[in-house]
Amino acid sequence: DTGVSQDPRHKITKRGQNVTFRCDPISEHNRLYWYRQTLGQGPEFLTYFQNEAQLEKSRLLSDRFSAERPKGSFSTLEIQRTEQGDSAMYLCASSGSGATGPTDTQYFGPGTRLTVL
Amino acid sequence: GESVGLHLPTLSVQEGDNSIINCAYSNSASDYFIWYKQESGKGPQFIIDIRSNMDKRQGQRVTVLLNKTVKHLSLQIAATQPGDSAVYFCAENQGQGKLIFGQGTTLQVKP
């Protein structure tokens, strides 16, 4: 399977605990994005990387959230001191650099569903 | 603020009929739009995209129409099949690939 993969698919945690999610993009893609999706809503942009550089962060990404992409390949999203409001689907997407034009198609992974009790 | 929205939360169609899903956007500077399909428990799946210098683009059984005058785009699905049942999102590219999604339209296909 050469698509975007995410792990785990489901995570249940207690309030106050830390959680970490992983995303493996399509291998030749150098852009990686994180989105959050709550029930009945469209995905909301959180942050994106070009290679290992984190180029933009949404105001939705509070200080408890941190994302990394240390080698420009896979990425991790960590949430510290989880709150019930963090319960959502966390989606990862990847795309090419845009070198061939102003935009590139983003391909999404299956998501990680987080439930905070 | 600027946003992308859809006209109807739910659309129910008969199998074999054509479906039309609508989306209104408010940012007149937007130059790239994408339609995604999302099935239950899965991530959004790219369907088709269109740039602002185009009015129409066709794919396999799908057509996207863009009306910049009224800031409206639509997704047409020909000969709708049960497998087309899903939530459909329009998304606006706000630069550097940052996508702004609408709330989605649930398409229900009746056999």
Side-chain angles (χ1 to χ4, degrees):
Chain A
D1 185 11
T2 57
V4 178
S5 61
Q6 293 186 246
D7 184 71
R9 295 292 309 278
H10 303 274
K11 179 70 177 179
I12 301 174
T13 191
K14 293 183 179 179
R15 188 177 53 188
Q17 298 295 305
N18 298 343
V19 294
T20 300
F21 310 140
R22 175 177 170 130
C23 171
D24 286 88
I26 294 171
S27 59
E28 63 268 25
H29 285 178
N30 58 2
R31 286 191 174 179
L32 186 148
Y33 310 81
W34 285 100
Y35 292 81
R36 180 174 68 186
Q37 185 176 27
T38 54
L39 198 61
Q41 303 296 314
E44 296 173 292
F45 172 83
L46 293 178
T47 189
Y48 98 95
F49 293 83
Q50 179 153 324
N51 300 313
E52 65 276 8
Q54 188 173 17
L55 297 184
E56 187 170 346
K57 294 195 292 186
S58 163
R59 284 173 289 182
L60 293 174
L61 214 64
S62 75
D63 291 344
R64 296 185 297 105
F65 288 69
S66 62
E68 294 182 343
R69 194 182 183 199
K71 298 181 180 179
S73 56
F74 72 92
S75 175
T76 58
L77 178 68
E78 181 182 17
I79 308 174
Q80 297 181 326
R81 305 181 302 282
T82 52
E83 301 173 357
Q84 288 184 324
D86 296 331
S87 295
M89 174 80 85
Y90 290 85
L91 292 162
C92 175
S94 70
S95 73
S97 66
T100 56
T103 54
D104 274 80
T105 303
Q106 290 186 30
Y107 295 92
F108 283 82
T112 294
R113 181 164 296 284
L114 173 66
T115 302
V116 181
L117 302 176
Chain B
E2 305 289 358
S3 66
V4 179
L6 292 172
H7 292 305
L8 290 175
T10 303
L11 176 66
S12 185
V13 300
Q14 202 71 36
E15 181 179 356
D17 288 351
N18 296 334
S19 302
I20 300 176
I21 301 172
N22 296 305
C23 177
Y25 65 95
S26 57
N27 186 350
S28 57
S30 299
D31 62 359
Y32 181 57
F33 304 89
I34 312 99
W35 281 100
Y36 284 92
K37 171 187 179 183
Q38 188 173 26
E39 296 174 289
S40 181
K42 296 184 179 181
Q45 175 187 355
F46 173 86
I47 301 173
I48 193 168
D49 59 2
I50 189 167
R51 300 181 192 277
S52 60
N53 61 354
M54 303 171 69
D55 297 322
K56 179 180 179 179
R57 191 166 189 216
Q58 288 185 291
Q60 186 177 9
R61 282 200 309 119
V62 295
T63 300
V64 56
L65 299 178
L66 176 62
N67 185 330
K68 294 180 287 294
T69 302
V70 294
K71 292 184 286 188
H72 178 273
L73 68 158
S74 66
L75 176 70
Q76 300 178 1
I77 304 173
T80 312
Q81 303 169 359
D84 294 328
S85 295
V87 180
Y88 289 80
F89 293 97
C90 64
E92 168 189 8
N93 189 321
Q94 289 207 337
Q96 297 296 321
K98 176 182 175 181
L99 296 179
I100 303 298
F101 285 79
Q103 289 192 325
T105 291
T106 299
L107 177 64
Q108 299 173 338
V109 182
K110 296 178 289 185

